Amino acid sequence: MERSGGIAGMVRRWSAPVPDDGGPASRAAHRIAELSTAEPSAEGLGTDEPGHGGPGRVRDGFVWAVRCGEGSLQCDEEGRRRDPEVDALISVVTAPQ
């Protein structure tokens, strides 16, 4: 998992096993793993085209790139918050160990 962007364009990377307990993080990981890497986004996974927020929206400039197995998705902070399962997955992987 990577988070990139912002003022300095910094990239942070995390890697962690996802619990296979059927919880929200596990469900998101399984959905992402089933995505073809050729698909830039998938409906219902909190994906969003970064930078296309429309008028009046404030963006933080960060983009999450999440890989699970052969699948991946990208979303910004707003897209992450719109999908509680993806949010849970990011929280699990980025939690201090």
Side-chain angles (χ1 to χ4, degrees):
M1 180 174 306
E2 294 181 352
R3 183 178 187 197
S4 62
I7 295 170
M10 68 180 174
V11 176
R12 287 201 60 195
R13 290 182 174 85
W14 294 267
S15 179
V18 177
D20 198 15
D21 59 4
S26 177
R27 290 192 300 269
H30 286 285
R31 290 190 312 181
I32 295 166
E34 293 173 4
L35 293 176
S36 165
T37 55
E39 296 178 54
S41 66
E43 192 166 329
L45 284 173
T47 56
D48 200 8
E49 299 241 357
H52 296 267
R57 293 173 115 178
V58 176
R59 300 288 183 160
D60 71 359
F62 287 99
V63 176
W64 289 99
V66 183
R67 287 192 163 283
C68 296
E70 296 296 317
S72 67
L73 72 83
Q74 288 189 347
C75 61
D76 61 9
E77 283 295 317
E78 185 177 331
R80 170 189 175 174
R81 287 188 300 268
R82 280 195 312 258
D83 189 323
E85 292 180 348
V86 170
D87 186 51
L89 175 61
I90 291 172
S91 294
V92 165
V93 173
T94 61
Q97 299 295 321

